[in-house]
Amino acid sequence: MHANQTGWTRWLPGLNTLRQYELPWLRHDLVAGLVMTTMLVPVGIAYAEASGVAGINGLYATIVPLLAYALFGPSRILVLGPDSALAPVILTVVLPLSAGKPQRAVALAGMMAIVSGVVCVAAGLARLGFITELLSKPIRYGYMNGIALTVLLVEHDMGLVMNVTDTITVLNFGRKIAEGTPQEVQNDPEVIKAYLGETVSVVRA
């Protein structure tokens, strides 16, 4: 099938797949789509918040690339979605440069995505895929496990985070609302209101 692709079908293989789509596939594809949706919606929102932008942008960044891949992607069964390993990388760039402005954070994250896409396309055209083989599996697995462990601790053991951290930065819908020592952040009215609710803030006051 791929050998006969010429012209626009070479650059838009998704359309060629659609022309050859078989009706018996539809039921399984619908089930797979529903399962992926239930997973990707909360994951997209969570990773966006962890990256320093509002959660709604995570939905756009999850849905639009899937639609684009349906046109440009060569595989009908490849699973795509946001990657937790990218969240801390994006955050380290967005947080200091956005100056607490949500729209600027979105612009920075979007530009990072565009630059990454251009680099990937250029690497593909230059046939540089062999470079990935230079990184051994233990290195890649160690990096991914380290990211997973960090997210797990931050989400479920705030006591440990408070004990091992000197400075904490708190985000709410992509906007920085507090920064300081763990004790200062813990007693900050904006943090209490954002994460525990206004009622708790009033009671403590």
Side-chain angles (χ1 to χ4, degrees):
M1 181 179 68
H2 296 289
N4 297 328
Q5 288 184 1
T6 58
W8 61 269
T9 58
R10 178 185 177 188
W11 300 105
L12 299 173
L15 295 181
N16 192 52
T17 301
L18 183 62
R19 292 170 58 187
Q20 302 179 9
Y21 193 85
E22 299 180 13
L23 191 59
W25 297 347
L26 182 60
R27 182 171 63 89
H28 300 288
D29 285 345
L30 288 176
V31 173
L34 290 175
V35 172
M36 288 300 298
T37 300
T38 59
M39 294 174 57
L40 291 180
V41 167
V43 167
I45 295 174
Y47 287 168
E49 293 280 354
S51 301
V53 298
I56 186 64
N57 297 289
L59 291 180
Y60 297 142
T62 300
I63 297 172
V64 175
L66 292 178
L67 296 176
Y69 185 84
L71 290 176
F72 298 101
S75 174
R76 190 181 67 85
I77 59 176
L78 184 64
V79 178
L80 298 175
D83 191 344
S84 61
L86 297 178
V89 178
I90 298 173
L91 181 63
T92 55
V93 175
V94 169
L95 188 60
L97 297 179
S98 63
K101 300 178 181 178
Q103 293 302 320
R104 183 175 175 83
V106 172
L108 289 169
M111 184 55 65
M112 288 183 66
I114 293 174
V115 172
S116 299
V118 171
V119 171
C120 288
V121 170
L125 294 176
R127 301 185 182 279
L128 298 179
F130 69 92
I131 295 180
T132 59
E133 300 301 326
L134 301 179
L135 295 176
S136 64
K137 285 186 177 181
I139 292 178
R140 286 178 284 176
Y141 290 164
Y143 175 74
M144 294 299 296
N145 290 335
I147 292 294
L149 183 60
T150 300
V151 173
L152 180 65
L153 290 176
V154 170
E155 290 292 333
H156 299 286
D157 196 342
M158 285 305 298
L160 177 61
V161 174
M162 292 291 187
N163 290 331
V164 301
T165 306
D166 295 326
T167 302
I168 296 178
T169 301
V170 183
L171 304 177
N172 184 33
F173 293 106
R175 180 176 63 90
K176 185 169 71 173
I177 60 175
E179 184 174 14
T181 65
Q183 188 64 30
E184 292 172 344
V185 169
Q186 194 171 15
N187 295 326
D188 190 286
E190 286 291 327
V191 175
I192 296 174
K193 180 179 179 180
Y195 286 89
L196 299 180
E198 190 171 359
T199 303
V200 177
S201 177
V202 173
V203 172
R204 289 194 173 190

